[in-house]
Structure formats: C-alpha cells, structure tokens
C-alpha cells in the first residue's frame, strides 16, 4: 500500500466534516437563498413572473399596486428573477435553511404596506 | 462444457445511481455478449424545451446533468448566440472557460473516487472526495451554488471574477493540482489499482475510432481528439494547452488520462486568470431568435457534447436535440466488456464515466441450462472484490 504515510499523517488531524446542526459553515457571499422584495422599488412590470422557469412567482395586480407571491416549494433558486429585475426590487438572500413541516409556510406573500 | 448465462444489469434505482439496463451473456467467468437497453431515464426534456422560452430553457438545459451542467449550458448559449449573431465579450469567454475547467476538475476528482470505490479501495475514495470539496467551494464562491452554477446567460456570464475571488481560485487550484499529482503516483504504483486496471476493458485505437468513442475514453486509446483543440470555443483558441493521450487502451490509461487532464486544467485556469481581459461580461440580447439551424459542440468533462437548435423566429425553439457523451461511448463500452471477466463489469462501466452509472441489478443467464439469476450492482461490486482476492 502506498498511502500509509498519508494515513499516518492524518491520524492526528481533526475530521474534515462538520457536525452540521451544531456547527455551520458561514454562507458564501452571493449564495442564492430565500427571496426578499422591496415594495418601494417594484414597479410591477412582471418580468420576474414571466421568466421564472418553474412558474414559482405569481404577480397579483398590475403596475405600482402589484403584489408578489413566491412558491418556495417550486423555486429552483436559479436567480433569474433577481437577474431580470430592472429595478433590483427582488433579491436572493443567504438564508438557506428553508425546510418547513407545513406546505403553506412555503408560500411567501409580499404585501405593500400603504395599500 | 461451457455454460452461457444471461445477466440483466439494471435498470431501476432512483436513489443515487442512474437507471440503465445491460443484458450480459456469460460463459463461466467470461462475458460473451452484452446488449445495452437505454431509455429508462427519459424525462422528455427535448419536448419540454420547445414549450419554454429561451431564457427558461437555460435552466432546464442546466438540469440535464448535475455534474456537467456548465458544459450543457455553454453548448446551449453558444447555439443561441450564433443564431442571434451576437459576439460575446472576451471577458465572458474567459470566465466561461474558467468555470468549464473547474467543472472538469470537479468531475475527474468525482470519477476517480468512484473508480476507487468500484475496485474496493475505499481509502482513495474518501481522500479524493475530501479534496473535491475544495473545488466545489470554489465554484460556490464564484457562482453561488455548488452544483447548478447558473453562470451562463445568453450573451455572456452572470457573475464577474473579482481579484479577491481570483486569488482564492489560484490558491485552491494549486492544492488541487498537487493533490492530483500525488493521486496519479498512487494510481501508477499501487498494486491493488494496477491489478484491477491494467489490461482491463481493452478498447483498441482502431475500435475506438470506428465506434466513435469520445472524450477521455477515446484519448486513453491514443487518439488525439479534443473539441477544445480541434474546434476551439470560448477562450480555448487563446489559451495554450496539451491534449493528453495514453496508449494503454485500458482502464489504467483512462485513470492516467483523467489525472493528467486535471493537471492540465489547473494550468488553463492559471493562464486564464492571469490573462483575464477587462471589459463587460454580458451583452443585452433580443428575446426573439431569428430562424436558423445551428450545431454546437463543447468538450464536456466526459467527452464531446453536441447540441442542435432549430429556431423559427419566435421566443421558443422549434426543435432542440442533445447528444450527450455517454451515448457516444455506449457502443465502445460494449466492445470493452466482451471478453472480460464478470468481476470487471463495474470497473469497466465506471471507466467510461457514464452518466447513468447504474450499478443496479443484473441477471445472469447460463447458456447451457438457461438458468437465470439476478444481482444488484452493489452485490456485483462485492463479488468482484472477493473474486480478485481469491486470485
């Protein structure tokens, strides 16, 4: 066996894996996670809903009064909505632990405050 | 007297490895004949592509394959850009090349681990997969995801490489290159690996050409053919690199070819990062593609990837066809298996780096008394390891 030296060298090292729920890696900058929506910036053009490859975004209403509904269960986290938005109103945050025990909680409903 | 046994191999196991069926005819320990049966993983992707717009298709194309997702999207964006008659900025071309090569490193590390696992060398499997994490972290840093990078857009790439990311990639690939040199030494020295790979799964140069093998499988049979060099795309016409070939024509040569390709990829990434042009990374393109018929090729980690696009002047393609490298290598794979031992089936199939990799279930048929029995891939793997221990 030619890997003995390597194996002996690693006897004194820590395991490379993390004990996940207790230890977590910090998410990288630019990770594609849960969505946030800025109601003040959104003009309701509907590009995000139109380009979404899995129809996970629903735009309720039109123009400046439009509101957004995102079905996280269908989302691919490809980031096309963020990329296509001309006003940067929709963004993906670094929140990645999105498991829910109830399917209803997987629907994000964004409302406008003033209306 | 000899007895020929039929062994169905595959197809279903939804958990880890993909479905595929092989019917083997065996005579004692020798494989006499093999018939592959494909189509178990048919997902209707080509039809689905026709129902979606070009922007949505980008993400569906990416999901054809998990490991070579960037190769598929590069091929697709190239085809659409050619139909649109758009020139991609040079910086975007370089970034595409860097991601493609990182993906190649990822794939070959992954493959080396699988080969080690198939021959029962679990130590090497664990170490290669540990080192694979380095390249996956780099890809995550660059694109925001470990596997489905979504880096390509029609008309460029989505994310830029900052100097900070560039220096991290430089550091990462240096470690990966050094580790691969070490693994290459192990693969050429270690008795276990040599006993299981030298003169196993022979594919002669003549057969490799006549059966249209592609990628590292072809290059391990001493045919110098690589889309990156023969029909340069992205930034490959500006980057110097060698096409790795070996003349062993067996699994050992396939291992050596892929090890050397990783070392070559490291050099390509280094060169590309040092010579990264400045400028924009994308151009705005129209959503509607004029009528055209385009063939696009890229060298995916597993071999030549061929896409065909027919557009009809709307925002949806009227026909899209994908020929992935595994399909091209399938006939060559049958040639390699015939005449070999049953115990070598897992390593020879893994040797072409198949994208179905379905070590699922197989049936053996005895030619004398038509006796049939079935084995799962895992059982076959164990059988192979045990059989070689007895030798």
């Amino acid at each position: 066996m030619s890997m003995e030296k390597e194996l002996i060298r690693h006897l004194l090292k820590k395991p490379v894996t993390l004990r996940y729920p207790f230890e977590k890696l910090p998410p990288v900058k630019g990770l594609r996670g849960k969505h946030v929506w800025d109601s003040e910036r959104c003009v309701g053009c509907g590009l995000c809903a139109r380009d979404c490859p899995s129809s996970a975004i629903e735009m309720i209403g039109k123009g400046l009064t439009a509101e957004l509904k995102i079905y996280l269960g269908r989302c691919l986290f490809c980031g096309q909505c963020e990329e296509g938005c001309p006003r940067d109103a929709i963004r993906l945050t670094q929140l990645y632990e999105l498991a829910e025990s109830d399917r209803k909680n997987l629907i994000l409903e964004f409302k406008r405050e003033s209306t | 007297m000899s007895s020929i046994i039929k062994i169905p191999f595959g197809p279903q196991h939804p958990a880890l490895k993909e479905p595929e069926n092989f019917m083997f005819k065996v005579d004692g320990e020798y494989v006499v004949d093999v018939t592959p049966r494909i189509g178990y993983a048919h997902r209707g992707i080509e039809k689905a592509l026709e129902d979606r717009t070009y922007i949505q298709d980008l993400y569906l194309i990416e999901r054809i394959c998990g490991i070579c997702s960037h190769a598929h999207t590069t091929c697709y964006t190239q085809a659409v850009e050619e139909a649109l008659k758009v020139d991609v900025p040079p910086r975007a071309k370089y970034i595409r090349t860097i991601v493609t090569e990182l993906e190649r490193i990822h794939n070959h590390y992954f493959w080396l681990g699988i080969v080690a696992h198939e021959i029962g060398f679990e130590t090497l499997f664990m170490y290669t997969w540990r080192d694979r994490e380095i390249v996956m972290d780099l890809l995550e840093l660059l694109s925001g995801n470990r596997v489905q990078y979504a880096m390509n857009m029609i008309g460029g790439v989505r994310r830029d490489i900052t100097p900070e990311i560039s220096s991290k990639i430089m550091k990462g690939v240096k470690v990966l290159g050094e580790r691969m040199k070490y693994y290459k030494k192990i693969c050429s020295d270690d008795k276990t690996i040599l006993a299981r790979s030298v003169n196993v799964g022979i594919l002669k140069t003549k057969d490799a050409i006549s059966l249209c093998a592609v990628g590292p499988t072809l290059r391990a049979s001493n045919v110098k053919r690589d889309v990156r060099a023969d029909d340069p795309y992205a930034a490959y016409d500006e980057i110097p690199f060698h096409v790795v070939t070996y003349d062993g024509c067996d699994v050992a040569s396939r291992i050596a070819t892929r090890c050397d390709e990783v070392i070559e990829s490291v050099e390509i990434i280094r060169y590309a990062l040092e010579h990264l042009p400045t400028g924009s990374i994308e151009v705005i393109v129209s959503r509607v593609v004029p009528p055209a018929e385009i063939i696009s090729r890229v060298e995916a980690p597993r071999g030549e990837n061929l896409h065909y696009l027919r557009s009809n002047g709307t925002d949806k393609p009227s026909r899209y066809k994908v020929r992935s490298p595994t399909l091209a290598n399938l006939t060559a794979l049958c040639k390699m298996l015939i005449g070999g031992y049953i115990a070598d089936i897992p390593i020879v199939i893994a040797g072409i780096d198949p994208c179905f990799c379905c070590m699922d279930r197989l049936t053996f048929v005895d030619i004398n008394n038509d006796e049939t029995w079935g084995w799962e891939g895992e059982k076959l793997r164990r059988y192979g390891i045990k059989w070689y221990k007895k030798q």
Side-chain angles (χ1 to χ4, degrees), chain A residues 1-3 6-7 9-10 16 28-32 47 50-53 76-80 83, chain B residues 52 55-56 59 63 121 123 127 130 140 143-145 148-150 153 158-159 179 182 186 190 287:
Chain A
M1 295 289 276
S2 48
M3 284 190 82
E6 181 85 6
L7 294 175
R9 204 159 59 80
H10 281 83
V16 287
V28 296
K29 203 181 145 210
L31 183 104
R32 303 195 293 268
L47 265 181
R50 186 177 149 193
D51 281 343
C52 180
L76 300 170
F77 298 94
C78 63
Q80 175 59 40
E83 194 61 42
Chain B
R52 287 165 172 77
I55 292 174
Q56 291 170 334
Y59 304 102
R63 279 151 184 83
F121 197 163
T123 317
Y127 277 79
R130 181 200 65 182
E140 189 183 23
S143 70
N145 213 344
Q148 311 282 4
Y149 320 116
M153 282 171 64
R158 191 187 272 183
R159 295 190 186 190
R179 291 298 300 175
Y182 172 68
I186 288 178
D190 193 87
R287 282 168 176 265

Tab-separated table of all heavy atoms in Angstrom, chain A residues 1-3 6-7 9-10 16 28-32 47 50-53 76-80 83, chain B residues 52 55-56 59 63 121 123 127 130 140 143-145 148-150 153 158-159 179 182 186 190 287:
chain	number	residue	atom	x	y	z
A	1	MET	N	0.848	-1.212	0.000
A	1	MET	CA	0.000	0.000	0.000
A	1	MET	C	0.876	1.252	0.000
A	1	MET	O	1.836	1.339	0.732
A	1	MET	CB	-0.900	0.030	1.250
A	1	MET	CG	-1.907	-1.075	1.296
A	1	MET	SD	-3.214	-0.878	0.089
A	1	MET	CE	-4.306	0.216	0.962
A	2	SER	N	0.496	2.174	-0.825
A	2	SER	CA	1.335	3.358	-0.938
A	2	SER	C	0.743	4.566	-0.212
A	2	SER	O	1.275	5.654	-0.288
A	2	SER	CB	1.550	3.678	-2.415
A	2	SER	OG	0.322	3.643	-3.083
A	3	MET	N	-0.379	4.379	0.446
A	3	MET	CA	-0.992	5.535	1.088
A	3	MET	C	-0.738	5.579	2.593
A	3	MET	O	-1.298	6.406	3.289
A	3	MET	CB	-2.500	5.550	0.832
A	3	MET	CG	-2.855	6.005	-0.567
A	3	MET	SD	-4.607	6.297	-0.783
A	3	MET	CE	-4.833	7.932	-0.138
A	6	GLU	N	0.402	8.898	4.179
A	6	GLU	CA	-0.707	9.840	4.174
A	6	GLU	C	-1.673	9.531	5.331
A	6	GLU	O	-2.120	10.432	6.049
A	6	GLU	CB	-1.425	9.734	2.831
A	6	GLU	CG	-2.598	10.648	2.638
A	6	GLU	CD	-2.190	12.018	2.149
A	6	GLU	OE1	-0.999	12.208	1.852
A	6	GLU	OE2	-3.078	12.893	2.088
A	7	LEU	N	-1.956	8.251	5.519
A	7	LEU	CA	-2.913	7.854	6.549
A	7	LEU	C	-2.372	8.175	7.930
A	7	LEU	O	-3.086	8.685	8.793
A	7	LEU	CB	-3.219	6.359	6.434
A	7	LEU	CG	-3.952	5.933	5.167
A	7	LEU	CD1	-4.081	4.433	5.106
A	7	LEU	CD2	-5.330	6.572	5.108
A	9	ARG	N	-0.208	10.420	8.709
A	9	ARG	CA	-0.177	11.876	8.870
A	9	ARG	C	-1.548	12.409	9.298
A	9	ARG	O	-1.656	13.379	10.035
A	9	ARG	CB	0.233	12.512	7.538
A	9	ARG	CG	0.846	13.874	7.648
A	9	ARG	CD	1.663	14.168	6.397
A	9	ARG	NE	0.861	14.115	5.176
A	9	ARG	CZ	0.076	15.118	4.760
A	9	ARG	NH1	-0.014	16.218	5.453
A	9	ARG	NH2	-0.611	15.008	3.635
A	10	HIS	N	-2.609	11.739	8.833
A	10	HIS	CA	-3.943	12.229	9.122
A	10	HIS	C	-4.510	11.724	10.446
A	10	HIS	O	-5.579	12.145	10.846
A	10	HIS	CB	-4.892	11.873	7.977
A	10	HIS	CG	-4.750	12.802	6.822
A	10	HIS	ND1	-3.774	12.646	5.875
A	10	HIS	CD2	-5.429	13.929	6.486
A	10	HIS	CE1	-3.868	13.620	4.995
A	10	HIS	NE2	-4.853	14.411	5.340
A	16	VAL	N	-12.664	16.124	8.717
A	16	VAL	CA	-12.933	17.262	7.841
A	16	VAL	C	-14.412	17.639	7.820
A	16	VAL	O	-14.780	18.716	7.385
A	16	VAL	CB	-12.472	17.023	6.381
A	16	VAL	CG1	-10.986	17.083	6.277
A	16	VAL	CG2	-13.005	15.718	5.839
A	28	VAL	N	-21.524	31.608	1.714
A	28	VAL	CA	-20.681	32.498	0.924
A	28	VAL	C	-21.494	33.696	0.472
A	28	VAL	O	-22.705	33.638	0.365
A	28	VAL	CB	-20.072	31.806	-0.325
A	28	VAL	CG1	-19.145	30.702	0.066
A	28	VAL	CG2	-21.144	31.317	-1.263
A	29	LYS	N	-20.776	34.776	0.199
A	29	LYS	CA	-21.416	35.968	-0.350
A	29	LYS	C	-21.897	35.621	-1.761
A	29	LYS	O	-21.159	35.071	-2.550
A	29	LYS	CB	-20.372	37.081	-0.421
A	29	LYS	CG	-20.936	38.463	-0.426
A	29	LYS	CD	-19.799	39.470	-0.526
A	29	LYS	CE	-20.287	40.630	-1.360
A	29	LYS	NZ	-19.239	41.273	-2.106
A	30	GLY	N	-23.160	35.897	-2.026
A	30	GLY	CA	-23.650	35.568	-3.363
A	30	GLY	C	-24.378	34.246	-3.419
A	30	GLY	O	-24.765	33.806	-4.491
A	31	LEU	N	-24.537	33.586	-2.257
A	31	LEU	CA	-25.333	32.354	-2.223
A	31	LEU	C	-26.781	32.683	-2.580
A	31	LEU	O	-27.284	33.735	-2.206
A	31	LEU	CB	-25.271	31.756	-0.820
A	31	LEU	CG	-25.984	30.424	-0.620
A	31	LEU	CD1	-24.962	29.314	-0.568
A	31	LEU	CD2	-26.788	30.413	0.635
A	32	ARG	N	-27.428	31.786	-3.318
A	32	ARG	CA	-28.806	32.051	-3.722
A	32	ARG	C	-29.760	31.364	-2.754
A	32	ARG	O	-29.943	30.160	-2.809
A	32	ARG	CB	-29.026	31.564	-5.151
A	32	ARG	CG	-28.060	32.182	-6.157
A	32	ARG	CD	-28.510	31.968	-7.560
A	32	ARG	NE	-28.471	30.579	-7.954
A	32	ARG	CZ	-27.418	30.008	-8.539
A	32	ARG	NH1	-26.329	30.705	-8.781
A	32	ARG	NH2	-27.454	28.753	-8.890
A	47	LEU	N	-41.712	41.024	-15.070
A	47	LEU	CA	-40.655	40.267	-15.763
A	47	LEU	C	-40.241	39.027	-14.967
A	47	LEU	O	-39.956	37.982	-15.549
A	47	LEU	CB	-39.426	41.149	-15.967
A	47	LEU	CG	-39.287	41.878	-17.293
A	47	LEU	CD1	-37.999	42.677	-17.300
A	47	LEU	CD2	-39.278	40.901	-18.452
A	50	ARG	N	-42.741	36.321	-15.498
A	50	ARG	CA	-42.740	35.844	-16.876
A	50	ARG	C	-41.545	34.928	-17.162
A	50	ARG	O	-41.674	33.942	-17.889
A	50	ARG	CB	-42.686	37.071	-17.795
A	50	ARG	CG	-42.828	36.738	-19.250
A	50	ARG	CD	-42.829	38.010	-20.063
A	50	ARG	NE	-42.246	37.780	-21.366
A	50	ARG	CZ	-41.896	38.749	-22.199
A	50	ARG	NH1	-42.049	40.022	-21.851
A	50	ARG	NH2	-41.384	38.473	-23.363
A	51	ASP	N	-40.379	35.266	-16.608
A	51	ASP	CA	-39.176	34.493	-16.917
A	51	ASP	C	-38.936	33.319	-15.985
A	51	ASP	O	-38.046	32.509	-16.235
A	51	ASP	CB	-37.946	35.413	-16.874
A	51	ASP	CG	-37.830	36.239	-18.141
A	51	ASP	OD1	-38.473	35.870	-19.136
A	51	ASP	OD2	-37.109	37.253	-18.125
A	52	CYS	N	-39.671	33.243	-14.888
A	52	CYS	CA	-39.403	32.172	-13.918
A	52	CYS	C	-39.565	30.808	-14.589
A	52	CYS	O	-40.612	30.486	-15.117
A	52	CYS	CB	-40.342	32.273	-12.731
A	52	CYS	SG	-40.032	30.985	-11.526
A	53	PRO	N	-38.503	29.962	-14.597
A	53	PRO	CA	-38.584	28.697	-15.321
A	53	PRO	C	-39.558	27.710	-14.705
A	53	PRO	O	-40.015	26.802	-15.381
A	53	PRO	CB	-37.162	28.161	-15.295
A	53	PRO	CG	-36.417	28.974	-14.336
A	53	PRO	CD	-37.176	30.203	-14.032
A	76	LEU	N	-36.385	27.013	-8.022
A	76	LEU	CA	-35.125	26.329	-8.326
A	76	LEU	C	-33.928	27.061	-7.739
A	76	LEU	O	-32.815	26.565	-7.799
A	76	LEU	CB	-34.886	26.286	-9.834
A	76	LEU	CG	-35.860	25.610	-10.759
A	76	LEU	CD1	-35.474	25.948	-12.187
A	76	LEU	CD2	-35.778	24.135	-10.563
A	77	PHE	N	-34.144	28.270	-7.271
A	77	PHE	CA	-33.065	29.149	-6.807
A	77	PHE	C	-32.022	29.383	-7.900
A	77	PHE	O	-30.827	29.318	-7.667
A	77	PHE	CB	-32.442	28.612	-5.511
A	77	PHE	CG	-33.437	28.563	-4.399
A	77	PHE	CD1	-34.152	27.415	-4.128
A	77	PHE	CD2	-33.710	29.692	-3.678
A	77	PHE	CE1	-35.112	27.386	-3.139
A	77	PHE	CE2	-34.669	29.673	-2.680
A	77	PHE	CZ	-35.371	28.518	-2.408
A	78	CYS	N	-32.534	29.602	-9.098
A	78	CYS	CA	-31.621	29.874	-10.213
A	78	CYS	C	-31.214	31.341	-10.223
A	78	CYS	O	-30.173	31.697	-10.772
A	78	CYS	CB	-32.272	29.511	-11.536
A	78	CYS	SG	-33.729	30.469	-11.948
A	79	GLY	N	-32.044	32.206	-9.654
A	79	GLY	CA	-31.702	33.623	-9.585
A	79	GLY	C	-32.098	34.426	-10.802
A	79	GLY	O	-31.675	35.568	-10.945
A	80	GLN	N	-32.922	33.850	-11.689
A	80	GLN	CA	-33.329	34.594	-12.880
A	80	GLN	C	-34.169	35.823	-12.501
A	80	GLN	O	-34.059	36.873	-13.128
A	80	GLN	CB	-34.102	33.668	-13.822
A	80	GLN	CG	-34.698	34.321	-15.062
A	80	GLN	CD	-33.649	34.980	-15.957
A	80	GLN	OE1	-32.577	34.440	-16.153
A	80	GLN	NE2	-33.967	36.140	-16.488
A	83	GLU	N	-31.877	38.491	-11.476
A	83	GLU	CA	-31.094	38.929	-12.623
A	83	GLU	C	-31.930	39.772	-13.572
A	83	GLU	O	-31.475	40.786	-14.109
A	83	GLU	CB	-30.579	37.680	-13.369
A	83	GLU	CG	-29.501	37.917	-14.369
A	83	GLU	CD	-28.275	38.498	-13.734
A	83	GLU	OE1	-27.879	38.050	-12.638
A	83	GLU	OE2	-27.727	39.423	-14.341
B	52	ARG	N	-40.935	26.192	-23.678
B	52	ARG	CA	-40.458	27.266	-22.821
B	52	ARG	C	-39.676	28.289	-23.643
B	52	ARG	O	-39.187	27.974	-24.719
B	52	ARG	CB	-39.568	26.698	-21.715
B	52	ARG	CG	-40.347	25.967	-20.663
B	52	ARG	CD	-39.434	25.131	-19.804
B	52	ARG	NE	-40.140	24.572	-18.662
B	52	ARG	CZ	-40.957	23.527	-18.743
B	52	ARG	NH1	-41.156	22.922	-19.894
B	52	ARG	NH2	-41.583	23.081	-17.676
B	55	ILE	N	-34.975	31.920	-22.347
B	55	ILE	CA	-34.417	32.211	-21.022
B	55	ILE	C	-34.750	31.087	-20.047
B	55	ILE	O	-33.899	30.634	-19.283
B	55	ILE	CB	-34.952	33.559	-20.503
B	55	ILE	CG1	-34.389	34.686	-21.363
B	55	ILE	CG2	-34.596	33.771	-19.041
B	55	ILE	CD1	-34.934	36.046	-21.049
B	56	GLN	N	-35.980	30.589	-20.110
B	56	GLN	CA	-36.363	29.489	-19.206
B	56	GLN	C	-35.629	28.206	-19.563
B	56	GLN	O	-35.274	27.432	-18.674
B	56	GLN	CB	-37.871	29.273	-19.276
B	56	GLN	CG	-38.654	30.413	-18.664
B	56	GLN	CD	-40.144	30.313	-18.943
B	56	GLN	OE1	-40.557	29.715	-19.933
B	56	GLN	NE2	-40.932	30.904	-18.075
B	59	TYR	N	-32.278	27.160	-17.804
B	59	TYR	CA	-32.260	26.470	-16.505
B	59	TYR	C	-32.685	25.020	-16.633
B	59	TYR	O	-32.307	24.192	-15.810
B	59	TYR	CB	-33.125	27.236	-15.503
B	59	TYR	CG	-32.660	28.663	-15.402
B	59	TYR	CD1	-33.328	29.686	-16.042
B	59	TYR	CD2	-31.477	28.947	-14.740
B	59	TYR	CE1	-32.852	30.977	-15.998
B	59	TYR	CE2	-30.992	30.228	-14.701
B	59	TYR	CZ	-31.677	31.241	-15.332
B	59	TYR	OH	-31.186	32.505	-15.302
B	63	ARG	N	-30.236	21.353	-16.064
B	63	ARG	CA	-30.624	20.198	-15.260
B	63	ARG	C	-30.634	18.883	-16.038
B	63	ARG	O	-31.150	17.883	-15.536
B	63	ARG	CB	-31.966	20.496	-14.586
B	63	ARG	CG	-31.742	21.336	-13.345
B	63	ARG	CD	-32.877	22.228	-12.981
B	63	ARG	NE	-32.502	23.052	-11.832
B	63	ARG	CZ	-31.804	24.180	-11.917
B	63	ARG	NH1	-31.408	24.634	-13.099
B	63	ARG	NH2	-31.490	24.864	-10.835
B	121	PHE	N	-11.178	0.153	-3.121
B	121	PHE	CA	-10.118	0.942	-2.485
B	121	PHE	C	-10.770	2.165	-1.825
B	121	PHE	O	-10.695	3.269	-2.331
B	121	PHE	CB	-9.105	1.364	-3.565
B	121	PHE	CG	-7.775	1.830	-3.042
B	121	PHE	CD1	-6.675	1.907	-3.889
B	121	PHE	CD2	-7.604	2.183	-1.719
B	121	PHE	CE1	-5.441	2.335	-3.422
B	121	PHE	CE2	-6.391	2.617	-1.244
B	121	PHE	CZ	-5.309	2.687	-2.096
B	123	THR	N	-10.154	3.877	0.795
B	123	THR	CA	-9.320	4.959	1.322
B	123	THR	C	-9.144	6.057	0.284
B	123	THR	O	-9.350	7.241	0.557
B	123	THR	CB	-7.928	4.425	1.710
B	123	THR	OG1	-8.103	3.204	2.390
B	123	THR	CG2	-7.181	5.391	2.562
B	127	TYR	N	-10.413	10.062	0.273
B	127	TYR	CA	-9.476	11.183	0.142
B	127	TYR	C	-9.778	12.038	-1.084
B	127	TYR	O	-9.720	13.256	-1.022
B	127	TYR	CB	-8.031	10.669	0.106
B	127	TYR	CG	-7.493	10.435	1.498
B	127	TYR	CD1	-7.816	9.307	2.214
B	127	TYR	CD2	-6.686	11.376	2.109
B	127	TYR	CE1	-7.360	9.095	3.493
B	127	TYR	CE2	-6.208	11.189	3.380
B	127	TYR	CZ	-6.554	10.050	4.077
B	127	TYR	OH	-6.096	9.862	5.344
B	130	ARG	N	-12.795	14.088	-0.410
B	130	ARG	CA	-12.495	15.187	0.509
B	130	ARG	C	-11.894	16.352	-0.272
B	130	ARG	O	-12.293	17.497	-0.091
B	130	ARG	CB	-11.511	14.735	1.586
B	130	ARG	CG	-11.172	15.821	2.573
B	130	ARG	CD	-9.890	15.531	3.302
B	130	ARG	NE	-8.754	15.533	2.384
B	130	ARG	CZ	-7.512	15.264	2.744
B	130	ARG	NH1	-7.249	14.963	3.993
B	130	ARG	NH2	-6.541	15.303	1.869
B	140	GLU	N	-18.783	27.411	-5.629
B	140	GLU	CA	-19.830	28.089	-4.861
B	140	GLU	C	-19.479	29.562	-4.667
B	140	GLU	O	-20.324	30.444	-4.797
B	140	GLU	CB	-20.013	27.397	-3.509
B	140	GLU	CG	-21.225	27.907	-2.755
B	140	GLU	CD	-21.371	27.283	-1.383
B	140	GLU	OE1	-20.368	26.802	-0.834
B	140	GLU	OE2	-22.489	27.308	-0.870
B	143	SER	N	-20.040	31.197	-8.179
B	143	SER	CA	-21.362	31.237	-8.798
B	143	SER	C	-22.510	31.322	-7.814
B	143	SER	O	-23.615	31.694	-8.188
B	143	SER	CB	-21.540	29.988	-9.659
B	143	SER	OG	-21.646	28.854	-8.832
B	144	GLY	N	-22.291	30.954	-6.562
B	144	GLY	CA	-23.376	30.993	-5.580
B	144	GLY	C	-24.042	29.654	-5.376
B	144	GLY	O	-25.009	29.554	-4.639
B	145	ASN	N	-23.553	28.617	-6.059
B	145	ASN	CA	-24.131	27.298	-5.851
B	145	ASN	C	-23.074	26.231	-6.094
B	145	ASN	O	-22.161	26.441	-6.878
B	145	ASN	CB	-25.320	27.102	-6.797
B	145	ASN	CG	-26.401	26.251	-6.173
B	145	ASN	OD1	-26.165	25.577	-5.183
B	145	ASN	ND2	-27.571	26.276	-6.748
B	148	GLN	N	-25.498	23.428	-9.534
B	148	GLN	CA	-26.142	24.108	-10.656
B	148	GLN	C	-25.713	25.573	-10.610
B	148	GLN	O	-26.325	26.389	-9.956
B	148	GLN	CB	-27.668	23.994	-10.542
B	148	GLN	CG	-28.156	22.581	-10.275
B	148	GLN	CD	-28.147	21.703	-11.509
B	148	GLN	OE1	-27.707	22.110	-12.567
B	148	GLN	NE2	-28.615	20.488	-11.363
B	149	TYR	N	-24.643	25.864	-11.373
B	149	TYR	CA	-23.989	27.163	-11.163
B	149	TYR	C	-24.785	28.348	-11.688
B	149	TYR	O	-24.663	29.442	-11.174
B	149	TYR	CB	-22.598	27.170	-11.816
B	149	TYR	CG	-21.859	25.876	-11.642
B	149	TYR	CD1	-21.526	25.086	-12.712
B	149	TYR	CD2	-21.524	25.438	-10.367
B	149	TYR	CE1	-20.880	23.887	-12.551
B	149	TYR	CE2	-20.869	24.235	-10.196
B	149	TYR	CZ	-20.562	23.463	-11.288
B	149	TYR	OH	-19.930	22.270	-11.120
B	150	ALA	N	-25.564	28.148	-12.769
B	150	ALA	CA	-26.309	29.243	-13.400
B	150	ALA	C	-25.379	30.415	-13.717
B	150	ALA	O	-25.702	31.568	-13.471
B	150	ALA	CB	-27.467	29.707	-12.532
B	153	MET	N	-25.377	33.079	-19.287
B	153	MET	CA	-26.583	33.757	-19.741
B	153	MET	C	-26.452	33.833	-21.247
B	153	MET	O	-25.353	33.758	-21.784
B	153	MET	CB	-26.624	35.178	-19.205
B	153	MET	CG	-27.030	35.283	-17.776
B	153	MET	SD	-26.769	36.956	-17.256
B	153	MET	CE	-27.919	37.804	-18.309
B	158	ARG	N	-23.066	35.623	-15.880
B	158	ARG	CA	-23.829	36.385	-14.909
B	158	ARG	C	-22.961	37.079	-13.867
B	158	ARG	O	-23.233	38.174	-13.466
B	158	ARG	CB	-24.784	35.430	-14.212
B	158	ARG	CG	-25.782	36.143	-13.388
B	158	ARG	CD	-26.577	35.174	-12.606
B	158	ARG	NE	-27.733	34.724	-13.364
B	158	ARG	CZ	-28.626	33.894	-12.868
B	158	ARG	NH1	-28.457	33.406	-11.660
B	158	ARG	NH2	-29.653	33.539	-13.573
B	159	ARG	N	-21.944	36.395	-13.418
B	159	ARG	CA	-21.138	36.976	-12.333
B	159	ARG	C	-19.694	37.189	-12.769
B	159	ARG	O	-19.142	36.397	-13.516
B	159	ARG	CB	-21.171	36.066	-11.111
B	159	ARG	CG	-22.569	35.990	-10.560
B	159	ARG	CD	-22.603	35.314	-9.247
B	159	ARG	NE	-24.001	35.159	-8.838
B	159	ARG	CZ	-24.384	34.770	-7.655
B	159	ARG	NH1	-23.496	34.488	-6.735
B	159	ARG	NH2	-25.654	34.666	-7.369
B	179	ARG	N	-2.385	17.731	-5.219
B	179	ARG	CA	-3.025	16.509	-4.738
B	179	ARG	C	-3.185	15.521	-5.890
B	179	ARG	O	-3.000	14.316	-5.714
B	179	ARG	CB	-4.407	16.810	-4.132
B	179	ARG	CG	-4.385	17.573	-2.825
B	179	ARG	CD	-3.692	16.851	-1.713
B	179	ARG	NE	-4.307	15.580	-1.394
B	179	ARG	CZ	-3.796	14.729	-0.515
B	179	ARG	NH1	-2.679	14.998	0.125
B	179	ARG	NH2	-4.397	13.593	-0.277
B	182	TYR	N	-0.161	13.620	-6.611
B	182	TYR	CA	0.017	12.565	-5.605
B	182	TYR	C	-0.866	11.356	-5.930
B	182	TYR	O	-0.405	10.216	-5.903
B	182	TYR	CB	-0.305	13.137	-4.226
B	182	TYR	CG	-0.357	12.120	-3.130
B	182	TYR	CD1	0.803	11.472	-2.707
B	182	TYR	CD2	-1.568	11.782	-2.539
B	182	TYR	CE1	0.750	10.523	-1.714
B	182	TYR	CE2	-1.626	10.836	-1.544
B	182	TYR	CZ	-0.467	10.201	-1.131
B	182	TYR	OH	-0.521	9.251	-0.154
B	186	ILE	N	-0.023	7.395	-6.827
B	186	ILE	CA	-0.623	6.218	-6.190
B	186	ILE	C	-1.216	5.293	-7.245
B	186	ILE	O	-1.015	4.081	-7.214
B	186	ILE	CB	-1.724	6.671	-5.203
B	186	ILE	CG1	-1.066	7.306	-3.983
B	186	ILE	CG2	-2.590	5.497	-4.759
B	186	ILE	CD1	-2.023	7.826	-2.992
B	190	ASP	N	0.313	1.691	-6.923
B	190	ASP	CA	-0.379	0.796	-6.003
B	190	ASP	C	-0.753	-0.524	-6.666
B	190	ASP	O	-1.323	-0.548	-7.755
B	190	ASP	CB	-1.637	1.483	-5.476
B	190	ASP	CG	-2.195	0.732	-4.299
B	190	ASP	OD1	-1.758	0.996	-3.175
B	190	ASP	OD2	-3.048	-0.148	-4.521
B	287	ARG	N	-35.028	38.780	-27.117
B	287	ARG	CA	-35.689	37.564	-26.642
B	287	ARG	C	-36.123	36.682	-27.796
B	287	ARG	O	-36.359	35.493	-27.618
B	287	ARG	CB	-36.936	37.946	-25.848
B	287	ARG	CG	-36.616	38.406	-24.468
B	287	ARG	CD	-37.813	39.051	-23.828
B	287	ARG	NE	-37.469	39.383	-22.475
B	287	ARG	CZ	-37.729	38.598	-21.438
B	287	ARG	NH1	-38.374	37.481	-21.608
B	287	ARG	NH2	-37.360	38.951	-20.235
